[in-house]
Amino acid sequence: MYILFFFLICFIFGFWILASLDKEDYIKGLLRIILTLAVGFAFYNFLLLILALGFRDLNFSLHFLNIFLFLLSFFVFLASQSLSKKIKLYKISSRSFKKINIFTVIFGLIVFAFVLNSLQGMLWKDSVFPYGILKGWGDGAYHMGMIKHLSVSDPFKLDHPVAGGHPLTYTFFINFTSAVLLKAGLSFKISWHLPLLIFGLSFVFLLKAFGKLIFKKESLAVALLFLTLFGSGGGFVYYFGQAGEKYNESLPIALIKEFKDPSYEYSHLDQRTGGKPAHMNHNANIVWIVPLISFFSHQRSFNAGAFLFFLILYGVFLYRFKKKVYWQWFFPGIIFPFSHVHSFLAFAILIFALIIQWIKKDYRIFISKSFIFFVFLILLFIIPQILFILKGTEISQKGIVKPWFGWMQCTHKLNWFSCDEVEKGMDKSFWFFTLKNFGAVFLVWVFSIALFFKIKNKKIKQLIIPSILIFLIFNFFKFQPWEFDNNKIIFYWWILAVILGLNFFNLDFFCQKCSERVKNKIKIVKKTFLILFIILASLAGLIDSINRLKNGLEINNTKNYGYFAQEDLKTYHWIEKNTLPNDIILTCSNANNKIAILTGRAVYLGFSGWLWTQGNSELIQDRSKNIRNFLNNSDSRKICRDQVTHVLIDECFERDFNFSLSKLKSGPSIVEKLNPKYPLYKIKCPK
């Protein structure tokens, strides 16, 4: 009952926020219903986060906010004079059912595939035991630990679940929303999936609506969504080659057999990035993984980032090209940095390029006092978030970006532009690497830019400069220690490139004065090439996606991997009951850290891979040194200074550090076992 009240409050809150954004009531029907819930859910949790940090109590803030918003909504409803008009916007017209066609069916199938893919990212056995996919197994452990940690933190604070006491240097907002649902009484299973579906499906509907807005064609809007999620590069060439080599059959039969049981992931043909069985490694250096799998199954924060990106972009385009005031649509950007930094960065590049093009017509808006005040208000929210995420990382001292040419083409240890010695699985040629990874979409994007003067659609034409700018930036700089993470920015170039690619087949190249008969023949040729483009730009991605989706929602022991067993529950339940929520525990550093997942207690130094990619390598070195000093010299001063309270000396710990309790010189004077049954020791800190 409480959770229904919770979502009612979110929906009412979203009702008024969307009404203030969509002042002209352009958004109607199903899209408005979905956006109301998503916007309300996002802003509710953002406001709750501010309160929880202020009161330092998540539980109190949750109840306080529910009561406050309920009373506020009650008085607003009483005072509202346009309530009935706004409610009518949520009516789904019977005409929309009469307009159902083949593209509606395709859209429905895409939505179904998106939901299934999202659910497959984490399956639950008996609603208790989570099972992750190989590509996102470690990420799943990290996110579950963060969710549990945020839900139990008391007093509430934003510290790192795998580096207790250190600022949380990760875009955590979607995990916070899951923590709130967990706190509100939902199961971990529902708390995990619900925010993903709310933000993810909102993105799907927004992208289709954006496509409809700029193309004015249902078919191209659906094609945009399809290629965004299922698009891929030149991996299909290797698919044809492997089918012919593997099966001694005619080519069509061989292709069908290889499609049903693929030897490789054809949008992920590399040996450097991991996330697949060893026998599927390949040295083709194709690392642009089909977006449906790469971004919308295990990269949780991406759902929130993509939703905010297209919420703002759709609103701005919807209003600006109707010559209405549009800057209110930037307001949801106040949630951006905590939601997804890469999406925020890509949006900043996009909007900068658009404003440069709009400044001649809109300069009066940009110099108006109301607009300047509005921008100042947004920056007041955004800047502290950016500073908080960067706080404590090497990025804050050494700079945000580093020169790095060609994304994943090769390594650049000696020179940021020239490749080191090219090994297997790398490429000498930047253009060959780019063509392999982005395939037909890259080629047609280049052709579209070359023929920009032929583009008559103003909305699409204005996306050329942003697409070029994003392409140059992700190919000349890296924004995290691991260059592969640039793919989170590339995703937005990919969407712009797909838009320009689809529009390319609408251009009038020649024969503008031809007869209708000739023009009709040209239209048929264009449609034929458009279909061929869609096939070539998605074949590898479809093979990988269908191979993933066909597994359904059943746990497969060869494709799903668990995190803990039945016997772990008793041990970690005891640990949770006998430690404080904000205690920091020294454990082994494996990715699957049961302390974080099952108790919500922060660990002193968890899996270093996550900390390294977030720019925390110095922290890893310092804490590793402190641990060695404690274990080898029985010196607890430095780990006590970092507020470590306990050490879990289990098999994993002994294996990880090649350590046994007998090695502690001072033995019992350094640690105290709390219960003979459990391997948890209290650290005795010097006074």
Side-chain angles (χ1 to χ4, degrees), residues 40 76 86 101 118 129 145 153 195 201 207 210 240 273 299 301 319 383 411 422 425 434 438 500 508 512 606 671 679:
V76 170
K86 295 292 183 185
N101 53 37
S118 181
F129 302 99
S153 181
L201 285 175
L207 183 57
F210 184 70
F240 276 83
T273 57
Q299 293 199 37
S301 295
Y319 271 63
I383 292 174
T411 56
V422 177
T434 302
F438 306 117
L500 290 165
D508 291 325
Q512 294 176 345
V671 295

Side-chain angles (χ1 to χ4, degrees), residues 226-227 229-240 259 262 264-269 286 288-291 293 436-437 439 494 534-548:
F226 176 78
L227 287 180
L229 295 176
F230 296 96
S232 53
F236 67 88
V237 175
Y238 296 88
Y239 160 66
F240 276 83
F259 192 95
Y264 300 100
E265 293 180 12
Y266 286 103
S267 66
H268 189 192
L269 290 166
I286 292 178
W288 176 246
I289 306 167
V290 56
I293 293 174
K436 280 192 303 181
N437 275 270
W494 176 260
I534 292 172
I535 292 171
L536 293 179
S538 63
L539 182 54
L542 270 178
I543 295 168
D544 292 352
S545 299
I546 291 173
N547 188 49
R548 160 78 177 270

Side-chain angles (χ1 to χ4, degrees), residues 160 166-167 169-170 389-400 402 479-482 485 608-620:
H160 216 300
H166 191 74
T169 53
Y170 184 81
I389 291 171
L390 296 180
K391 182 182 177 182
T393 68
E394 293 168 28
I395 295 171
S396 61
Q397 288 96 32
K398 298 180 181 179
I400 296 175
K402 287 186 177 181
F479 297 87
Q480 283 184 261
W482 194 23
D485 284 324
S608 60
W610 296 317
L611 295 169
W612 173 73
T613 60
Q614 295 165 25
N616 289 307
S617 58
E618 289 181 3
L619 175 74
I620 297 167

